Amino acid sequence: MTRYQHLACLLSDRIEQGLYRSGERLPSVRTLSIEHGVSISTVQQAYHLLEEKQMIVPQPRSGYFVAVRKATPPVPALTRPVQRPVEITQWDSVLELLSSRGNDDVLQLGSGIPNLTQPTLKPLWKIMSRLAQKQHTELLNYGDMPGVRTLREQVARLAIDSGCQLVADDIVITTGCHEALSVSIRAICEPGDIIAVESPAFHGTMQTLRGLGIRAIEIPTDSVTGISLEALELAFEQWPIKAVIVTPNCNNPLGFIMPEARKRALLALAQRVDAAIIEDDVYGELTWDYPRPITIKSLDIDGRVLLCSSFSKTLAPGLRIGWVAPGRYHDRVLHMKYIGTGSTATLPQYAVAEFIRQGYYLPHLRRMRQIYQRNYETFSCWVRHYFPCGICMSRPQGGFLMWIELPEVFDAVRLNAELREASLQVAAGSLFSATGKYRNCLRLNYALPLNEQTEQAIAQLGQAVERAMQICSGDKQPAPHLHTDEPGKAGPESGSDEPALAC
């Protein structure tokens, strides 16, 4: 960490601890330079970094002030879905969301697409180009059914960070994590069976269950600790549940990391009732802290955990390279893959394997973790600033997705219809429920670039949310805000002694 970064962290901690209060003037550049024994340039760099994070604002001829911010919204409460097996709906809404992917005129604020613009991806392009120029016929031929062996070896090496001891033969390469989940479900269940899922849960998983004729039972889920083990145990007692699907690390859409003790308890419960665990770890490598959290698979001693992941969120979704470590279900998973897609495309497998082997993958991961953590800080500031009071907001610990819960009267599905006129789209919360619950919630993607266009889009979204809430509540008066017309342009110059409003 450089000197200016260290100083910025120190000042940030003081602001968060309340030593420098909202709207208060900060020490001058010269004062901090003398106090910490650093150059004036170092202090200016530290202040610039805090200004980028919208924690402070400059005032002409007055110095720097702590930005006036809304109180941090609370996290969403424990969800309360209907706890019985249900038929899954919402396909039309999911299709509408997916249909906008190819429309460059629509800014998708709620997609699951990572940042694809970083220079750390350039070596991947070069590797793919070199492989194509060699014109080896094996790149155009069918590959091995389990996948290219060199890639499986690299995946096994990467899995060590998550606590897993795997070898190449433990792994089956799939066409993205979506297929990994699909073949895992088909390896365990028959039409009419029941699977337990988190609530909310990834809409792709829900629609896979729908297509296979499998019913889902949604289990209450906490936005900090994950799926309720107490509710899950009760569900196992009442219903013949074949498996439970969880995303314990950087959950989609809530963002939490399930505590290790609860991962162990979940595995112990699955062992007691002899159920399988399908673990989706597609965002696990994007945790902000290092070392990354362990997977449930790393604790598995009897092969009942099927670990699914891919390079869609860490590299690029267009590669369509995923994988599954299916444990005791290996042969069944391989058969399901054969009758589904057969072998996975060969060229991108070799390219990803070479990208990892040459040492480009881990530096790319470190860069993306830093970018997403920085982006989250900025996005959360924008949400606090532009959204009306009365919201709850998740606290992601990695990945690039955040969950916002609005009052019950709000309808995110109707909101999308209004946003269409502004060429914007969010992911309505109802997509993440088997029965269309969470219409008052939405998912945001903070992998989007931090520029004026994105900030303006969040501002438009906040205004649309406010209008919708006023209509639903029958209130025609403007809702109270903590922000002024410009982010951070608060009261130091106004001379007012009135305290800022608080949500």
Side-chain angles (χ1 to χ4, degrees):
M1 183 181 291
T2 63
R3 287 187 176 183
Y4 82 87
Q5 289 173 326
H6 178 76
L7 179 58
C9 285
L10 178 64
L11 294 172
S12 175
D13 288 342
R14 290 179 178 178
I15 292 172
E16 295 295 341
Q17 294 166 8
L19 299 179
Y20 298 130
R21 292 176 296 179
S22 180
E24 182 179 342
R25 182 177 178 178
L26 292 162
S28 69
V29 171
R30 187 173 298 278
T31 298
L32 282 180
S33 172
I34 295 172
E35 178 183 345
H36 294 277
V38 297
S39 67
I40 287 178
S41 174
T42 297
V43 179
Q44 289 173 332
Q45 286 179 293
Y47 271 161
H48 180 67
L49 184 59
L50 293 175
E51 187 181 351
E52 284 185 338
K53 294 182 177 181
Q54 299 193 356
M55 296 188 72
I56 67 174
V57 290
Q59 297 290 344
R61 298 182 298 278
S62 298
Y64 288 90
F65 293 80
V66 178
V68 176
R69 299 188 297 170
K70 285 185 175 181
T72 301
V75 297
L78 179 73
T79 59
R80 300 190 179 279
V82 176
Q83 294 178 62
R84 56 179 173 78
V86 296
E87 304 290 339
I88 295 165
T89 59
Q90 307 306 307
W91 167 238
D92 290 342
S93 298
V94 171
L95 183 59
E96 181 181 348
L97 177 70
L98 300 179
S99 298
S100 299
R101 280 181 178 172
N103 189 346
D104 294 335
D105 295 330
V106 177
L107 181 57
Q108 297 186 49
L109 297 174
S111 70
I113 300 174
N115 185 312
L116 302 175
T117 64
Q118 296 306 309
T120 45
L121 285 175
K122 288 183 179 179
L124 182 60
W125 287 105
K126 293 179 180 178
I127 289 169
M128 294 182 73
S129 177
R130 284 199 299 268
L131 287 172
Q133 288 173 2
K134 290 181 179 179
Q135 297 184 8
H136 290 320
T137 55
E138 62 183 327
L139 298 178
L140 297 179
N141 206 343
Y142 290 116
D144 292 338
M145 186 63 58
V148 170
R149 187 169 189 85
T150 54
L151 177 58
R152 288 186 283 132
E153 290 172 347
Q154 294 299 335
V155 168
R157 289 177 55 197
L158 292 174
I160 294 173
D161 278 352
S162 70
C164 291
Q165 301 296 322
L166 301 174
V167 297
D169 290 338
D170 296 327
I171 294 164
V172 176
I173 302 299
T174 59
T175 305
C177 188
H178 206 137
E179 188 191 25
L181 293 167
S182 175
V183 294
S184 296
I185 293 168
R186 285 185 285 146
I188 297 167
C189 297
E190 300 289 342
D193 283 343
I194 302 171
I195 279 187
V197 297
E198 298 162 318
S199 184
F202 170 48
H203 55 73
T205 301
M206 294 291 195
Q207 294 306 315
T208 297
L209 297 178
R210 170 190 168 99
L212 296 174
I214 297 169
R215 291 178 294 167
I217 179 167
E218 297 182 84
I219 306 298
T221 302
D222 185 84
S223 62
V224 177
T225 60
I227 193 168
S228 169
L229 300 181
E230 298 76 15
L232 179 60
E233 184 171 13
L234 183 61
F236 273 122
E237 293 173 358
Q238 293 179 312
W239 307 98
I241 297 171
K242 287 289 190 70
V244 54
I245 303 177
V246 291
T247 308
N249 294 323
C250 304
N251 175 270
N252 173 20
L254 294 175
F256 62 79
I257 294 176
M258 193 178 193
E260 184 175 331
R262 295 185 68 81
K263 292 176 182 175
R264 292 181 182 275
L266 173 57
L267 179 59
L269 174 58
Q271 290 169 337
R272 276 202 314 275
V273 299
D274 193 23
I277 296 176
I278 299 174
E279 181 178 13
D280 181 351
D281 193 55
V282 71
Y283 294 95
E285 291 189 317
L286 293 175
T287 52
W288 298 332
D289 291 334
Y290 189 85
R292 57 150 293 169
I294 64 169
T295 56
I296 301 173
K297 179 68 174 179
S298 69
L299 307 170
D300 184 25
I301 60 174
D302 58 1
R304 70 177 60 252
V305 179
L306 299 92
L307 178 63
C308 304
S309 190
S310 81
F311 296 98
S312 295
K313 309 304 179 183
T314 54
L315 289 178
L319 294 170
R320 307 313 302 137
I321 301 297
W323 56 272
V324 54
R328 64 168 75 163
Y329 303 98
H330 185 279
D331 291 346
R332 179 74 174 156
V333 161
L334 202 58
H335 185 224
M336 292 301 104
K337 178 170 174 54
Y338 170 69
I339 66 175
T341 60
S343 58
T344 298
T346 309
L347 174 58
Q349 288 189 67
Y350 278 106
V352 172
E354 193 66 11
F355 185 78
I356 300 170
R357 190 191 68 79
Q358 293 186 24
Y360 294 116
Y361 183 66
L362 293 181
H364 172 72
L365 270 186
R366 287 194 292 269
R367 181 181 182 91
M368 300 318 297
R369 290 176 187 135
Q370 293 170 354
I371 288 173
Y372 294 148
Q373 184 172 16
R374 180 200 66 191
N375 281 19
Y376 167 69
E377 292 170 354
T378 300
F379 263 70
S380 60
C381 284
W382 286 345
V383 170
R384 286 196 301 266
H385 179 78
Y386 291 114
F387 277 55
C389 298
I391 70 171
C392 296
M393 186 169 64
S394 65
R395 305 282 191 278
Q397 296 175 270
F400 48 82
L401 301 170
M402 63 192 300
W403 182 258
I404 296 175
E405 180 183 305
L406 295 130
E408 288 289 342
V409 296
F410 180 78
D411 189 336
V413 178
R414 291 183 180 178
L415 174 71
N416 257 336
E418 178 181 346
L419 292 176
R420 196 176 298 119
E421 298 179 4
S423 296
L424 299 176
Q425 186 181 50
V426 296
S430 55
L431 301 178
F432 304 88
S433 167
T435 58
K437 190 176 167 64
Y438 312 121
R439 289 177 73 100
N440 63 312
C441 301
L442 53 92
R443 187 184 74 175
L444 287 184
N445 178 341
Y446 51 87
L448 294 168
L450 298 183
N451 55 30
E452 186 177 348
Q453 179 190 14
T454 305
E455 182 178 4
Q456 183 59 35
I458 298 298
Q460 289 179 277
L461 175 59
Q463 292 164 6
V465 167
E466 182 174 4
R467 286 194 300 270
M469 287 175 58
Q470 289 174 358
I471 292 172
C472 291
S473 64
D475 181 11
K476 296 184 179 180
Q477 297 299 318
H481 282 265
L482 282 178
H483 59 263
T484 55
D485 290 337
E486 297 179 67
K489 301 300 182 185
E493 291 185 329
S494 67
S496 172
D497 294 327
E498 292 294 323
L501 294 172
C503 290

